[in-house]
């Protein structure tokens, strides 16, 4: 199963808990100047998923569109509920302040600006048939395993 996860939901933490089952493919380590980065990223996730891994990837729109074509039914979106906007942005701010990493600052900036629009987009994808898991809090191992059954 491929899980497209919103920033700060716990992807890295889950992968560290059980690296034999969970794997995170970090899109920040991709050359996004390459017009085919998304297909290569998606193909790697599909390959690992079909080998039995639970693979966490980003929520980039281009990736979701690619997975919809290349691996229908093999992926899900993990996103916070729309009403958790302020809580989620506070999580992101805490993380960005704590780590000082540019990727965390960028996640905070993007989510602060686009949260409401993103949630509408995910809701539309759900109406169009995508599997969307609306989260109340951070992900847990048990939740992920139940999604992937």
């Amino acid at each position: 199963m491929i899980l497209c996860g919103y920033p700060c939901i716990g992807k890295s933490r889950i992968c560290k808990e059980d690296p034999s089952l969970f794997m995170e493919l970090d899109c920040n380590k991709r050359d996004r100047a390459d017009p085919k980065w998304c297909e290569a990223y998606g193909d790697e996730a599909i390959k690992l998923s079909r080998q039995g891994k639970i693979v966490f990837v980003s929520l980039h729109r281009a990736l979701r569109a690619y997975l919809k074509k290349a691996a229908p039914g093999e992926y899900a979106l993990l996103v916070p509920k729309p009403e958790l906007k302020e809580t989620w942005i506070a999580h992101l701010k805490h993380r960005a302040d704590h780590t000082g990493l540019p990727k965390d600052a960028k996640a905070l900036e993007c989510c602060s600006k686009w949260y409401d629009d993103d949630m509408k987009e995910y809701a539309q994808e759900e109406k169009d048939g995508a599997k969307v898991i609306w989260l109340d809090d951070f992900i847990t191992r048990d939740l992920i395993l139940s999604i992937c059954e």
Side-chain angles (χ1 to χ4, degrees):
M1 175 67 94
I2 301 166
L3 301 172
C4 303
Y6 202 77
C8 206
I9 61 163
K11 300 181 295 287
S12 298
R13 177 184 44 80
I14 291 287
C15 291
K16 288 175 187 167
E17 287 178 11
D18 189 350
S20 66
L21 182 58
F22 304 112
M23 174 174 263
E24 181 177 18
L25 296 180
D26 188 348
C27 70
N28 293 306
K29 295 180 180 173
R30 307 283 161 173
D31 177 8
R32 288 189 261 170
D34 177 352
K36 298 206 179 260
W37 80 269
C38 194
E39 288 87 351
Y41 183 47
D43 287 343
E44 185 178 354
I46 292 166
K47 179 181 173 186
L48 290 165
S49 176
R50 290 178 180 168
Q51 291 173 358
K53 288 276 192 182
I54 297 172
V55 184
F56 291 95
V57 296
S58 74
L59 264 173
H60 285 85
R61 182 180 296 119
L63 176 64
R64 298 190 321 266
Y66 182 74
L67 292 174
K68 183 178 181 179
K69 289 188 299 185
E74 297 181 49
Y75 72 100
L77 282 58
L78 301 172
V79 298
K81 290 182 176 176
E83 60 268 20
L84 295 177
K85 178 180 180 177
E86 298 307 318
T87 301
W88 224 264
I89 290 172
H91 288 314
L92 288 163
K93 181 166 180 12
H94 175 76
R95 184 172 77 176
D97 290 346
H98 179 73
T99 68
L101 295 172
K103 73 177 187 86
D104 292 335
K106 182 71 173 174
L108 172 61
E109 176 188 340
C110 290
C111 294
S112 296
K113 185 175 181 181
W114 300 109
Y115 190 95
D116 295 325
D117 291 336
D118 287 344
M119 295 305 137
K120 289 175 188 169
E121 193 170 311
Y122 306 143
Q124 184 59 53
E125 288 182 42
E126 184 175 40
K127 287 179 186 172
D128 294 340
K131 184 174 185 175
V132 179
I133 311 301
W134 298 98
L135 303 168
D136 289 312
D137 204 348
F138 303 112
I139 57 175
T140 64
R141 185 180 196 282
D142 289 342
L143 172 67
I144 297 306
L145 293 176
S146 71
I147 292 166
C148 296
E149 288 181 338

